[in-house]
Amino acid sequence: MKISFFKQKYFSKTGVNIGLIITFTVLHLAYINTPFVNLEWVYRDGSQYFLTGNENLLESYFSEQANPLTYSFFASFLVSLFQIDNYLIYRLPALFGSVLLLITLARKESPWLVIIIALNPLVWIYSGRAYSEVLALGLMLLAYEFKNRPVVCG
């Protein structure tokens, strides 16, 4: 007899997945406003370029970073929208990307898959840091989920 912790009579798989994603997000938000490490400050320079138009910031960005300015553009949008310029605002796009990743995987209705990916050290660390790769991964998987759905327009 196979015993499963996620039996339907105890927990619904959807409920467990939602709980895991909320826990993941809350735990990241608890420490996300810590000082920058490694080259995270470069994304701030890129964001400040969009906010101020100072070309020296753009030169500084590309002297340290080979990634495109997309992540910095999203972060500058958040800075201008919320009028907050601290560590948290530059890391929110990465956290958003990781939440998109987990939501996409939760659609497979396997809580173990969500747990394994959420606790993967690379996903865990990059989700709480200003790195463009996690946002790109989350958006890519979201686009893949919608690839066969027709777009309805007016």
Side-chain angles (χ1 to χ4, degrees):
M1 176 157 83
K2 184 177 177 184
I3 298 174
S4 174
F5 179 74
F6 298 113
K7 280 187 177 177
Q8 188 67 28
K9 67 179 183 178
Y10 297 119
F11 304 104
S12 73
K13 290 180 180 180
T14 304
V16 171
N17 284 335
I18 290 170
L20 290 169
I21 294 168
I22 290 171
T23 303
F24 178 87
T25 305
V26 168
L27 288 175
H28 274 85
L29 287 175
Y31 75 88
I32 203 167
N33 200 24
T34 56
F36 289 140
V37 296
N38 298 334
L39 291 176
E40 285 183 289
W41 61 270
V42 177
Y43 290 109
R44 185 180 187 280
D45 279 358
S47 298
Q48 290 302 313
Y49 164 72
F50 287 110
L51 296 170
T52 64
N54 185 349
E55 291 184 12
N56 292 332
L57 293 169
L58 189 61
E59 189 174 309
S60 170
Y61 177 87
F62 283 116
S63 71
E64 298 290 336
Q65 186 64 261
N67 286 323
L69 282 168
T70 311
Y71 188 89
S72 296
F73 178 75
F74 286 136
S76 68
F77 175 74
L78 292 175
V79 169
S80 65
L81 181 68
F82 296 114
Q83 297 298 313
I84 299 172
D85 188 12
N86 60 16
Y87 304 115
L88 165 98
I89 209 78
Y90 296 100
R91 292 177 175 153
L92 281 179
L95 181 59
F96 177 70
S98 64
V99 169
L100 283 179
L101 167 68
L102 295 179
I103 288 171
T104 305
L105 295 175
R107 291 178 45 91
K108 306 295 183 212
E109 295 187 8
S110 173
W112 292 115
L113 178 63
V114 174
I115 290 171
I116 288 170
I117 298 301
L119 293 180
N120 180 309
L122 286 175
V123 173
W124 184 266
I125 295 296
Y126 286 169
S127 297
R129 300 287 169 220
Y131 288 112
S132 60
E133 290 81 6
V134 182
L135 176 62
L137 177 63
L139 292 173
M140 180 187 67
L141 286 176
L142 184 67
Y144 185 76
E145 282 293 317
F146 287 105
K147 73 177 170 83
N148 291 326
R149 296 184 184 164
V151 176
V152 178
C153 56

